[in-house]
Amino acid sequence: MAGNISFETAEYNAFGPWAYEISDRYPLPRLFAPYFTADDKAVMKIKIPREIERRNAEPGMDLYDYVVALYEDRLLVLKREGDTVLEKQIPLKEFKGVRIYQNLLKGGYTIFSARGSISFPFNSVSLDLFQKLTNLSLERVKPQGRDISNLPVTETAPESMLLINMLHDVEMKLPGVRVGAVQKSADVHRKGATQNMIERMLWGEMNPEALHLYTDRYLIVLENGVFPNHVGMQEFGYTQTIIPLSCIDGIEVAHSEEYSLLEEAGLTLGPDRVAYHYEIDNEEVAAFYNALK
């Protein structure tokens, strides 16, 4: 009994908004422990807390909603549902890419695979931990390189300071990364919508500015927020999507069926589709994705 109390109290004392890399200091939550052996060979394991106020937590509660484990050949995502656990295995040979969203303290992580995507939230104070998970995963995927000599390089510079800084960071980490296209922010008009000028000023939507980068192995898209942004609400976040070029199943460049005055580049990743919108007169985004096909 004393051991149980000690474990529960220690877990409660450490509980907060932070995700933890599982270690001797931060052990597996008891609910998830049966899914791992004593000699488990995971490269890293992360536990993600429930989104509750600390004052509503107490020793003995199941305080963690997810455990994510990376192995040499797969990713394992475990999700708490009440007092049970749902399990999803993602073989790295079926890996299609990742997306990280961050806005102030709110974060979201999506893994794309041939079996479909899976997403989970996290507090952005733990962002470095999920960047580490991304880097270690991509190292093990080992995507094939391709000839990129036919892909365009734009001289257009981003406008937002956020994307200027993010581009600098990527260039420092990936020497030789190229900017294929820049997508400027633009008004969004849904087809068939009837809004007057005041409504558009209050409730209008914007297509976020974005950078479409590439290396011989990866497509990297940096967006200033998430599509669509809302007019009048300052966007403090970003979306970063990293997709191995060899994992893209198809690319379609066409008019948007939902938004007037916007084109759409749609990427097929297994059963999922990732779409990027751009103005009809933005020739460089269209040229980039047509060349990427």
Side-chain angles (χ1 to χ4, degrees), residues 22-185:
I22 291 170
S23 63
D24 292 338
R25 182 178 181 185
Y26 302 112
L28 274 165
R30 183 165 292 136
L31 183 66
F32 298 95
Y35 291 83
F36 302 91
T37 61
D39 61 345
D40 184 73
K41 297 296 193 296
V43 177
M44 74 176 299
K45 297 192 288 285
I46 301 172
K47 59 180 181 180
I48 303 169
R50 293 171 62 169
E51 294 185 278
I52 61 173
E53 297 288 339
R54 180 176 170 81
R55 64 176 178 267
N56 296 325
E58 59 185 45
M61 288 179 62
D62 290 318
L63 296 176
Y64 290 85
D65 273 346
Y66 293 89
V67 168
V68 182
L70 170 65
Y71 295 85
E72 292 294 342
D73 62 345
R74 71 191 189 281
L75 280 156
L76 171 65
V77 180
L78 301 175
K79 178 183 180 182
R80 183 186 68 86
E81 287 282 353
D83 58 357
T84 62
V85 174
L86 300 181
E87 176 182 3
K88 183 161 186 177
Q89 299 272 0
I90 305 171
L92 290 183
K93 64 182 180 181
E94 298 181 2
F95 177 91
K96 295 288 183 181
V98 298
R99 170 174 281 172
I100 302 173
Y101 172 73
Q102 187 262 325
N103 189 348
L104 298 179
L105 293 178
K106 182 179 180 181
Y109 196 89
T110 298
I111 304 169
F112 298 100
S113 81
R115 304 186 189 190
S117 62
I118 184 169
S119 301
F120 47 83
F122 67 92
N123 189 295
S124 63
V125 297
S126 304
L127 180 62
D128 288 349
L129 198 55
F130 291 93
Q131 295 284 11
K132 178 181 176 181
L133 174 66
T134 299
N135 294 336
L136 291 174
S137 298
L138 292 174
E139 286 176 8
R140 282 152 181 80
V141 172
K142 298 178 182 177
Q144 298 176 357
R146 63 163 283 182
D147 180 10
I148 57 174
S149 60
N150 66 319
L151 298 183
V153 177
T154 180
E155 298 297 327
T156 305
E159 296 178 348
S160 70
M161 186 56 64
L162 173 65
L163 291 184
I164 291 173
N165 292 335
M166 291 186 71
L167 176 59
H168 175 73
D169 290 344
V170 173
E171 289 174 334
M172 293 295 289
K173 295 174 183 175
L174 291 174
V177 68
R178 303 176 183 182
V179 184
V182 175
Q183 164 189 310
K184 300 295 186 182
S185 61

